[in-house]
Amino acid sequence: MDRIIPLEVTQPKIISFDAEGTLVTPQFSNSIWHEAIPALYARSRDISMAQAKQEVFDAYNEVGNQRKEWYDINYWFCRFRLGDPHKLLLQYEHEIEYYPEVHQVLHTLSQQYQLIVVSNSAREFLDLLMENIKQYFMRIISTISDFNSLKRAELFLEICHNMGTAPQEMIHIGDSWDFDFTIPQKAGIRAFYLDREGKIRGDNTIFHLGEVVSQLSI
Ligand SMILES: [Mg+2]
């Protein structure tokens, strides 16, 4: 049975961030998955957009967000026989936007900590999402592309090992209760759950990335 390892208070060395919904708004992702892919699908089969959305969304739901295929744009382009996703992603690149506090928070934290990204997004996606903030990060990890896996406790431990750090010396922050909060905690990593809508109250829940800076008393 899974068990939460008690956290020791240790000075962190590495701060790990999720990407989508944490650093980058869902705008780009929503346009790709909800509009651009159905539009390509409709054109390739000569059907209406409404029909295409129905079929594409049914396929998304059939896979579900607990399977790695959900996050893998190559899988979907292959499954729908849409060719190479790269061109499409570039067409929508202008829709990538960061949350307003992101540059300032990353700038501040990067003075004192090593920053990394651990994301379930595929590399093709992630590289574009991170393009204008990559200078803050030591490593940008796509769990799907680099480890063929979604975020798991064992994977967080492997990342700590690769970084030469103990789990107690890492903090992870993200907007998925499972992938970014409970799973890293199972690896002994201190985690902050980012709830931008402010619905959940609790220890280690934050509404804004700037709160990490104050919690770490920088
Ligand atoms: Mg996220």
Side-chain angles (χ1 to χ4, degrees), residues 18-22 175-176 180:
D18 168 54
E20 290 188 53
T22 299
D175 71 317
S176 163
D180 298 312

Side-chain angles (χ1 to χ4, degrees), residues 92-189:
Y92 283 81
E93 198 180 3
H94 62 280
E95 295 200 14
I96 295 173
E97 60 178 19
Y98 304 106
Y99 289 101
E101 77 277 20
V102 161
H103 275 283
Q104 184 58 52
V105 167
L106 294 178
H107 174 75
T108 304
L109 292 174
S110 63
Q111 311 290 310
Q112 206 168 327
Y113 302 98
Q114 296 176 351
L115 308 186
I116 65 172
V117 169
V118 179
S119 165
N120 282 338
S121 303
R123 176 63 62 196
E124 291 78 358
F125 229 84
L126 192 56
D127 281 351
L128 280 179
L129 294 178
M130 294 294 104
E131 180 59 28
N132 290 323
I133 51 173
K134 65 183 178 191
Q135 66 272 22
Y136 297 112
F137 297 102
M138 268 189 77
R139 284 188 69 188
I140 295 175
I141 295 165
S142 159
T143 60
I144 296 284
S145 305
D146 302 344
F147 295 93
N148 191 30
S149 166
L150 294 174
K151 290 172 199 171
R152 292 176 293 117
E154 297 77 12
L155 185 54
F156 274 103
L157 288 174
E158 190 173 341
I159 291 167
C160 288
H161 180 74
N162 292 346
M163 303 282 302
T165 193
Q168 295 79 8
E169 295 172 329
M170 187 186 282
I171 287 175
H172 181 79
I173 304 160
D175 71 317
S176 163
W177 182 266
D178 293 331
F179 289 122
D180 298 312
F181 194 57
T182 59
I183 287 176
Q185 286 186 91
K186 283 176 191 162
I189 292 169

